[in-house]
Amino acid sequence: MPRRLAPRVWWHRALGRAVPVPSGGETIADHLAEVFGLPIRVTLRVRPARRANRKPLLEAYGPEGLLAYVKIGDSDRARALVRNEAATLRALADEPLKTVCPPAVLHHGEWRGLEVLALAPLPVPSRAARVCRRVPAPLVHAAVREIAALRPGEPHSWHGDFAPWNLARGADGRLLVWDWERFGSGVPLGFDAVHLFFHRALRRMRPEDAARACVAQALPTLAPYGLSAARARRTACHYLITLADRHAADGHQPLGPPARWLTPLIDEQEAVL
């Protein structure tokens, strides 16, 4: 448990150097208990991947079981992402969504300089069902279209991290979608579909091969949204450049230098786009 969330006790000295904590005995569990008016027990979900938006993610349990997932913004970047997700989910709560099912915001505030966002658990299928059952393509297409149209009168919107681990088919046939902290607008139609294809490809290919597959398969990926072959290739290239720009802004290169996985591909495509 990060020491900013739980005060250090005497026996922690054997585990490493002392870490300063704010004075007083209040923990994040105490704070959440005050917010919800219930006794709260928290556990920390471990996220081992080194990501620019990595942050503590807590499970908050009340007397009747799991009450909320709690994101903790503990850096400038993480705080901004948590605030964006809170604003996005509150706006989505007023939308008449038919296909997409996002989490509900139970609480958003600050505690000891940390951004705290508590989200209601979604009615997720069992872990085995999520792993074994791929989301049907028609459901993905409907969800991408619904998200793209969330801000009428503006260029298309996108979820921003429409990846396999953030999606599951709900029991009612809707698509459960988590992690809205990268939501934005002003992008071409189909960005979420390309993002999903790219991250599926990354599970079995090197980044440079996955990027090439993105462009090579742009038409079958984006044809369900009415894009021509040329426009589909441009959209795929635009997406890859946007992703590289995101990594640069985060100061993080999870795919390696763009000069290796992206620049040669874009140089090739410039001749045909």
Side-chain angles (χ1 to χ4, degrees):
M1 176 72 73
R3 301 305 178 213
R4 284 164 294 184
L5 305 181
R8 196 175 180 85
V9 296
W10 66 268
W11 49 265
H12 288 142
R13 296 189 192 117
L15 304 179
R17 64 181 179 82
V19 178
V21 297
S23 60
E26 185 190 39
T27 67
I28 186 64
D30 297 326
H31 173 68
L32 293 172
E34 182 178 351
V35 167
F36 292 116
L38 297 168
I40 295 293
R41 175 177 60 87
V42 299
T43 60
L44 176 68
R45 293 174 63 87
V46 177
R47 286 186 166 185
R50 294 183 177 180
R51 303 177 65 190
N53 61 339
R54 183 181 180 185
K55 65 186 73 64
L57 177 61
L58 311 178
E59 293 178 355
Y61 291 87
E64 297 184 0
L66 180 63
L67 178 64
Y69 291 103
V70 184
K71 292 188 174 184
I72 306 294
D74 59 348
S75 67
D76 290 343
R77 186 60 175 151
R79 278 189 284 271
L81 291 170
V82 169
R83 284 194 294 269
N84 186 58
E85 180 164 25
T88 297
L89 292 176
R90 281 174 171 156
L92 291 180
D94 297 327
E95 294 285 343
L97 300 174
K98 296 180 180 179
T99 302
V100 175
C101 180
V105 175
L106 300 179
H107 168 73
H108 177 225
E110 291 188 5
W111 176 75
R112 297 192 173 188
L114 303 173
E115 203 82 16
V116 179
L117 175 62
L119 303 175
L122 289 176
V124 63
S126 69
R127 181 174 178 81
R130 287 187 64 188
V131 170
C132 299
R133 186 172 60 183
R134 187 171 176 142
V135 177
L139 183 57
V140 170
H141 300 158
V144 169
R145 285 188 175 279
E146 188 168 67
I147 294 171
L150 281 173
R151 291 181 177 171
E154 296 185 16
H156 298 288
S157 300
W158 70 314
H159 173 273
D161 195 10
F162 200 77
W165 50 86
N166 286 332
L167 312 175
R169 186 181 184 183
D172 62 357
R174 292 189 297 167
L175 187 66
L176 310 179
V177 185
W178 292 265
D179 285 350
W180 292 78
E181 51 194 35
R182 298 281 189 174
F183 177 83
S185 60
V187 302
L189 175 62
F191 256 36
D192 278 328
V194 181
H195 187 87
L196 180 61
F197 177 94
F198 185 51
H199 282 80
R200 282 174 173 166
L202 284 171
R203 289 178 164 179
R204 61 185 188 278
M205 302 178 187
R206 298 177 303 172
E208 51 267 42
D209 295 329
R212 289 184 178 278
C214 248
V215 176
Q217 295 298 313
L219 180 56
T221 300
L222 295 173
Y225 311 100
L227 275 66
S228 66
R231 188 179 169 196
R233 286 197 304 272
R234 285 196 298 270
T235 298
C237 289
H238 189 170
Y239 160 76
L240 293 169
I241 293 169
T242 299
L243 186 65
D245 286 344
R246 173 191 292 180
H247 293 164
D250 288 341
H252 187 53
Q253 294 184 339
L255 305 179
R260 185 178 67 203
W261 67 270
L262 178 61
T263 305
L265 173 63
I266 298 302
D267 288 345
E268 292 175 5
Q269 291 299 314
E270 282 182 341
V272 296
L273 291 178

